[in-house]
Amino acid sequence: MADTSDFRNGLIIKYKNDLFTIIEFQHVKPGKGGAFVRTMLKSLRTGKVLDNTFRSGEGIEIVRVERKKYQYLFREGDFLVCMDNETYEQLTYLKQNFGDGVDYLKESEEIEILFSKDDIISVEIPIFVYLKVMQTEPALEVIQQPALINRLNWKPE
């Protein structure tokens, strides 16, 4: 079992029955009392960030993960079929593992899947996608004319 001296940015640990990556850490040795390590942890499943303090030398469980590149091929009901870019093996995964951005995936897009043993931890889809607007409301065409913007109940976010 590892301890806090093994901390480094990007390390993935199991803490409170969840997987976290260490975003930032700082070893602190106050003048009075024992040393400790302040950390900023990000949950791999939910994306939440939390600050935590570990006692110096406290035992932690380091998790081995594997990051693989896949090519998204097509959708089959509630499943997505992806191809491993190294072995060309086609694998089927549940749509819910891909999160909200799955609706913007196009066929043959490259994605990265993070595994711990055989479990999917997270799926990274492309940040930018190029889509064509097929239909819009007629009132939205007015926004392109600066003189008419003031007449609309519209505020930039």
Side-chain angles (χ1 to χ4, degrees):
M1 183 176 243
D3 64 8
T4 56
S5 65
D6 297 319
F7 279 180
R8 64 184 188 282
N9 292 341
L11 181 70
I12 297 174
I13 63 171
K14 187 171 188 174
Y15 177 69
K16 293 185 178 179
N17 294 326
D18 200 2
L19 296 178
F20 290 89
T21 184
I22 297 175
I23 298 173
E24 185 178 305
F25 72 97
Q26 179 184 18
H27 186 272
V28 179
K29 181 153 177 27
K32 187 166 129 180
F36 58 90
V37 180
R38 281 192 192 115
T39 60
M40 188 177 294
L41 304 172
K42 181 177 182 180
S43 172
L44 292 177
R45 298 194 195 280
T46 63
K48 291 183 182 177
V49 177
L50 63 100
D51 291 322
N52 191 47
T53 302
F54 293 94
R55 293 185 317 271
S56 185
E58 185 175 340
I60 56 162
E61 184 180 345
I62 296 176
V63 179
R64 286 187 58 102
V65 295
E66 184 178 359
R67 184 180 302 267
K68 291 183 88 174
K69 290 187 183 275
Y70 286 86
Q71 183 178 16
Y72 166 66
L73 296 178
F74 59 90
R75 192 174 307 210
E76 196 172 76
D78 285 340
F79 295 95
L80 301 178
V81 178
C82 300
M83 179 181 68
D84 187 339
N85 286 351
E86 295 173 4
T87 63
Y88 302 106
E89 180 182 6
Q90 289 187 8
L91 303 166
T92 305
Y93 298 110
L94 276 173
K95 181 180 172 184
Q96 66 189 15
N97 291 333
F98 284 67
D100 297 334
V102 71
D103 296 330
Y104 301 106
L105 266 179
K106 294 190 302 186
E107 292 179 357
S108 76
E109 289 279 344
E110 192 170 275
I111 58 174
E112 276 192 359
I113 301 179
L114 192 64
F115 293 98
S116 172
K117 296 178 185 166
D118 289 335
D119 298 332
I120 294 178
I121 298 172
S122 67
V123 178
E124 294 179 13
I125 61 173
I127 296 173
F128 300 103
V129 292
Y130 296 99
L131 302 172
K132 184 177 182 181
V133 177
M134 301 301 290
Q135 182 180 356
T136 184
E137 296 292 324
L140 295 178
E141 296 171 3
V142 175
I143 294 175
Q144 295 177 357
Q145 301 172 3
L148 300 176
I149 289 178
N150 294 336
R151 290 193 218 166
L152 298 175
N153 291 331
W154 177 79
K155 293 181 183 176
E157 293 184 353

